[in-house]
Amino acid sequence: MRVLPACCILCSLIASAASLPPARLKNLNLRVAMRDGVRLSTNVFRPDVKTRVPTVLVRTPYGKGADLAPTYEPFIQRGYAVVLQDVRGRYASGGVFQPFSQEGPDGYDTLDWIAAQPWSDGKVGMIGGSYLGIAQWKVALHNNPHLKAISPVVSGYDDYRDRFYSPGGAMKLGHRLLWMSLNLTAPGFTPPAFDRFVLHLPLRTSDRAATGKTSEMWQRSAEHPAYDSFWRSMSVRAQIDRVHVPSLAFGGWYDNFAQSDLEAYSALKAAAEPHRVVIGPWPHNMSIKFPGADFGAHSSMPVRAMQLDWMDYWLKGKSSALIASAPVKIFVMGADEWREEREWPLARARPTRYYLSAAKAANSIEGDGRLSSRPPAQQPSDQFVFDPRNPVPTRGGSVCCNPAVFPWGPLDQRPVERRPDVLVYTSHALRKDLEVTGPVRVVLHVSTSAPDTDFTAKLVDVFPDGEARHLTDGILRLRYRDSLEKAAPATPGKIYRISIDAGVTSNVFRKGHRIRLEVSSSNFPRFDRNPNTGRPVIDETELRKASQTVYHDRSRESYVLLPVIPRK
């Protein structure tokens, strides 16, 4: 089984495409030479016309197939050539798969090859999701003159923060190993169950547990747990000022890359070229519905039609409703409506503190943890024991890439909240609707018995019937409390003020609902387990318990900082 590329996600959005006639002209498995002599297998589909035409390029590690998928037919009907290419080292293409370094140069050379063809007018746009999207960002750094526009879907723009680690320095273990097990297995190897290979120790050999072979990609990423020069050298995020190609990006609140998709737009919005971003109530596969959570029939978006409009503007010079509209389109959950905005984050958002408090203890949903807009008085701290042998399980949220084994989305968190190692803080029932749209941050005063550990935070919408719907979450590896660039051991027993990046969301907490914050030290296998030893995690096999304390008194306030949108 292989992970479905996000380009296939769009099928349900253009149901009429399947009835269109096939492309009239096609050339399969052309061998396109790269600068180092490696040849990449490439399919070309184009309308049967005498004039030169613009091109839509799709570069994929998931297999280009032997024919044109119905989702691409609208481009042929609109007068575009469609070029599908297996990336280096995958399927029919030559070379060795080296995702950290290959997509920029190979994409550039492919653009030059397209522009040199007798049927090409020299103008190229790129589309595709997930890996196909990051391949667009990588080549966009090089500013090939033939690349006129891109449209990445659920892709993010940074290898460290999106694909391997988190903004808090913990590894996105389940995501990475699951993707590898679906796509990079040794011949004849059958991966064990997901629940087995994510528990494998040491992490250095987790690649063999998941794929049956040693992966250079895994080894190099595991050897660089900090955001060092290795990651910066390949990061689009770190070099975003070099991107001068207009982008139309799509993401989902329950996709692993939503925060990065929005940050990419925010970094680019001051550029001369207009950029656009659309975020809906979607997971990584936008066509899959969530069990038990329905955001309405209008929660979808005509992605392909918007991409056609985008390419028509940049490659054909036609007018575009997208260019005339607001640059940010977000779906506000709770209100279940689309809204157009001029910027991200929203300038009118008011950072609002909700303070943690507990008169006795906040352990589990049975505790008396509270969230309040008023700072707490003097009160005792909360304690729990983090045992990495029995970590708090991931339950939904922004995970990837196979919901059959790693469920995603707005799942009810009450089974997690019954654990004594989860601190639960809940507000009173709201007297009126409260909208939260933007980045969520959690500030805690903490101490630990370990030289290194983790602290997690999760924002939850509690319905009147008790359902506790996941909104967004995050983690901080304590060694990275000051900087992702350099680890610093903790002093056991010392109190630290830490800040947890808990991701992004847009949600209206309805009247009668309650705001909830969960605090713990694990969210596994979304993130890897901290062994609590302070030693390098990659080779660690010993797992120790850690005694954790969260302080929330007058001199050591702990709170969640919510971007509250004022009522009109």
Side-chain angles (χ1 to χ4, degrees):
M1 180 180 181
R2 62 184 174 87
V3 64
L4 289 176
C7 59
C8 296
I9 291 166
L10 307 174
C11 295
S12 64
L13 304 179
I14 51 168
S16 62
S19 63
L20 295 172
R24 295 192 183 99
L25 300 176
K26 63 181 179 180
N27 298 96
L28 303 181
N29 296 313
L30 301 174
R31 312 300 292 180
V32 177
M34 301 293 102
R35 64 190 66 181
D36 61 356
V38 170
R39 295 182 179 272
L40 306 187
S41 184
T42 306
N43 292 346
V44 177
F45 303 86
R46 55 192 177 91
D48 188 6
V49 296
K50 302 299 182 182
T51 57
R52 294 173 180 262
V53 295
T55 303
V56 170
L57 170 63
V58 180
R59 305 189 64 250
T60 176
Y62 303 119
K64 66 186 184 309
D67 211 339
L68 189 67
T71 57
Y72 300 123
E73 288 284 2
F75 286 104
I76 300 292
Q77 304 306 314
R78 194 70 72 90
Y80 290 89
V82 177
V83 174
L84 306 177
Q85 183 179 75
D86 291 330
V87 300
R88 178 184 295 249
R90 297 291 290 160
Y91 289 84
S93 285
V96 177
F97 184 53
Q98 297 176 321
F100 286 144
S101 59
Q102 69 187 37
E103 304 310 348
D106 286 356
Y108 193 101
D109 294 348
T110 301
L111 291 166
D112 281 351
W113 177 84
I114 291 172
Q117 301 309 299
W119 44 262
S120 170
D121 71 357
K123 297 178 181 178
V124 185
M126 294 183 71
I127 62 172
S130 197
Y131 189 104
L132 288 67
I134 197 66
Q136 297 172 57
W137 286 116
K138 295 286 189 178
V139 73
L141 284 174
H142 296 264
N143 290 297
N144 185 295
H146 304 297
L147 183 59
K148 303 301 181 182
I150 61 174
S151 184
V153 180
V154 291
S155 70
Y157 74 144
D158 186 74
D159 291 286
Y160 181 90
R161 294 169 185 252
D162 295 339
R163 282 160 180 77
F164 291 89
Y165 292 88
S166 66
M171 178 182 285
K172 292 183 176 179
L173 183 75
H175 172 194
R176 189 65 349 212
L177 288 181
L178 180 57
W179 187 88
M180 291 170 61
S181 74
L182 294 171
N183 294 284
L184 301 180
T185 54
F189 178 77
T190 300
F194 175 69
D195 292 343
R196 284 185 56 194
F197 62 69
V198 294
L199 285 167
H200 178 85
L201 292 176
L203 290 181
R204 185 180 291 277
T205 54
S206 290
D207 51 354
R208 298 192 64 84
T211 70
K213 62 180 180 180
T214 299
S215 164
E216 180 186 358
M217 175 186 69
W218 175 262
Q219 293 299 316
R220 296 188 73 187
S221 65
E223 290 168 356
H224 294 271
Y227 191 68
D228 56 16
S229 59
F230 169 78
W231 297 107
R232 287 192 296 272
S233 67
M234 70 183 75
S235 171
V236 177
R237 183 179 191 271
Q239 306 171 74
I240 194 68
D241 59 329
R242 290 172 49 189
V243 174
H244 302 296
V245 181
S247 66
L248 167 63
F250 295 87
W253 294 125
Y254 289 102
D255 177 54
N256 178 60
F257 306 119
Q259 182 173 5
S260 192
D261 293 329
L262 286 161
E263 289 178 353
Y265 165 77
S266 183
L268 288 167
K269 69 180 181 180
E273 302 81 5
H275 302 272
R276 298 292 184 268
V277 64
V278 180
I279 307 292
W282 310 316
H284 194 66
N285 186 325
M286 296 154 59
S287 66
I288 294 180
K289 300 298 183 182
F290 298 121
D294 185 1
F295 295 104
H298 64 292
S299 62
S300 62
M301 182 64 67
V303 175
R304 187 64 87 222
M306 295 173 72
Q307 289 179 326
L308 282 161
D309 189 37
W310 187 249
M311 296 303 167
D312 279 353
Y313 180 84
W314 293 106
L315 277 67
K316 294 184 176 182
K318 294 185 177 181
S319 60
S320 167
L322 278 172
I323 297 299
S325 65
V328 178
K329 290 182 175 64
I330 58 173
F331 189 88
V332 184
M333 298 179 291
D336 292 349
E337 63 184 16
W338 285 98
R339 196 168 66 212
E340 295 189 342
E341 299 288 351
R342 304 303 309 180
E343 76 282 314
W344 182 270
L346 306 189
R348 67 183 184 280
R350 295 177 179 173
T352 304
R353 295 183 180 187
Y354 282 83
Y355 296 91
L356 282 60
S357 66
K360 296 180 180 178
N363 304 77
S364 86
I365 198 173
E366 303 300 328
D368 68 343
R370 295 288 179 263
L371 280 182
S372 173
S373 58
R374 296 182 178 180
Q378 200 69 20
Q379 57 183 220
S381 56
D382 285 316
Q383 292 88 30
F384 64 95
V385 175
F386 164 40
D387 183 357
R389 294 180 185 85
N390 181 27
V392 177
T394 299
R395 184 172 172 81
S398 303
V399 300
C400 184
C401 298
N402 182 351
V405 298
F406 198 16
W408 53 32
L411 297 186
D412 191 343
Q413 299 301 300
R414 282 177 289 183
V416 169
E417 293 168 352
R418 295 188 179 102
R419 294 174 57 112
D421 55 353
V422 177
L423 304 180
V424 180
Y425 303 92
T426 309
S427 73
H428 292 295
L430 298 176
R431 296 180 179 178
K432 58 185 178 180
D433 291 355
L434 180 76
E435 181 184 336
V436 172
T437 295
V440 176
R441 188 161 291 278
V442 177
V443 175
L444 302 175
H445 282 83
V446 300
S447 65
T448 178
S449 63
D452 184 48
T453 193
D454 294 341
F455 285 94
T456 64
K458 184 189 303 173
L459 182 65
V460 176
D461 185 351
V462 183
F463 285 58
D465 65 359
E467 177 190 351
R469 182 173 292 183
H470 182 292
L471 290 176
T472 185
D473 61 50
I475 189 169
L476 177 69
R477 185 142 291 172
L478 197 55
R479 67 178 68 184
Y480 299 120
R481 63 193 177 277
D482 297 323
S483 170
L484 275 177
E485 284 75 20
K486 187 177 180 180
T491 301
K494 182 177 180 180
I495 299 176
Y496 294 98
R497 182 184 185 274
I498 64 171
S499 179
I500 302 174
D501 183 337
V504 293
T505 193
S506 180
N507 182 71
V508 173
F509 292 85
R510 288 295 197 181
K511 177 182 176 181
H513 288 220
R514 290 174 290 165
I515 304 168
R516 177 169 290 167
L517 182 72
E518 297 174 18
V519 174
S520 192
S521 286
S522 50
N523 183 351
F524 178 83
R526 172 157 162 72
F527 306 112
D528 67 325
R529 299 167 289 172
N530 196 316
N532 297 325
T533 65
R535 296 189 290 262
V537 177
I538 182 177
D539 292 314
E540 188 61 86
T541 57
E542 181 185 358
L543 302 177
R544 297 178 183 172
K545 294 181 180 180
S547 297
Q548 318 289 59
T549 303
V550 176
Y551 303 85
H552 42 69
D553 53 43
R554 187 170 300 166
S555 61
R556 296 168 295 196
E557 296 172 346
S558 293
Y559 54 87
V560 56
L561 190 64
L562 298 180
V564 173
I565 306 302
R567 293 166 59 90
K568 292 183 180 179

